Amino acid sequence: MKIKNKKDFALGLGSILISLWIVYECFAMEVLDRKGDPGSRMFPLIGAAIMFICGLVVLIKPGKESKTFLTKEQWKAAAVIFGIYILAVVLFWLVGFMITVPIILFILTYLMSALSRPNDSKKKRLIQSLIYAVIAGALVYVAYVIGLQAKLPTGLLFELFE
């Protein structure tokens, strides 16, 4: 078997191996079984299944080999997204879930709106992103805190004032 696209082969194989590792770890952990509760394994197993399927697809039908991995603009965009991930981690640690989620949602939506709606004014994109971040943040809060009764991280600043 001749490998046509080595990058896709490595990506597909890596995805499959990571998904199998996730499944192994899920079944190795201790789970509290309660009637009607799918348990803490459900979401990681669903994610692992999706990752496994995507890895298989990439292995079976690889894309065309390209000369350049990423263009200069794509490297900049990747660096910005990575920076947002770092900001999210710092904000989760500092101020917790309730403040971090709307902030990160706002930043990401505003950045993506520049790509999806370049003809809209900055003010319009800013307002739309702000409204979306507040509504989506509230829905996430309602789903997790009220619906699932999950205890979410409060952050260092709020723990200091308790």
Side-chain angles (χ1 to χ4, degrees):
M1 176 174 109
K2 183 166 181 347
I3 300 170
K4 295 177 183 177
N5 189 335
K6 291 180 183 176
K7 290 176 187 173
D8 281 352
F9 180 78
L11 179 66
L13 187 63
S15 296
I16 289 171
L17 292 175
I18 291 171
S19 69
L20 292 175
W21 176 75
I22 291 170
V23 170
Y24 172 78
E25 288 295 324
C26 283
F27 286 107
M29 70 182 192
E30 188 176 324
V31 176
L32 299 173
D33 290 325
R34 289 183 270 181
K35 189 173 184 177
D37 184 15
S40 56
R41 294 180 183 158
M42 185 180 77
F43 288 120
L45 287 175
I46 291 171
I50 292 169
M51 190 176 205
F52 184 85
I53 292 167
C54 291
L56 275 179
V57 169
V58 170
L59 275 179
I60 294 169
K61 190 169 181 169
K64 295 178 182 176
E65 186 78 36
S66 63
K67 302 261 188 233
T68 59
F69 177 61
L70 291 175
T71 64
K72 190 175 183 178
E73 293 79 25
Q74 290 170 332
W75 276 111
K76 286 180 189 176
V80 167
I81 296 294
F82 184 72
I84 293 170
Y85 288 153
I86 298 298
L87 175 66
V89 169
V90 170
L91 285 175
F92 269 118
W93 173 74
L94 197 58
V95 294
F97 182 85
M98 288 184 359
I99 295 174
T100 302
V101 169
I103 291 172
I104 297 301
L105 283 174
F106 169 74
I107 293 170
L108 287 173
T109 346
Y110 183 71
L111 288 175
M112 298 303 162
S113 70
L115 299 172
S116 64
R117 297 179 175 212
N119 297 331
D120 287 355
S121 68
K122 285 187 180 184
K123 183 178 179 181
K124 182 178 180 181
R125 290 188 292 119
L126 189 77
I127 292 170
Q128 287 176 337
S129 298
L130 187 62
I131 291 170
Y132 171 77
V134 169
I135 292 172
L139 289 174
V140 168
Y141 176 80
V142 167
Y144 280 95
V145 174
I146 296 172
L148 296 173
Q149 297 176 348
K151 180 162 174 31
L152 300 171
T154 55
L156 179 66
L157 290 179
F158 292 109
E159 289 176 6
L160 290 176
F161 295 114
E162 282 183 351

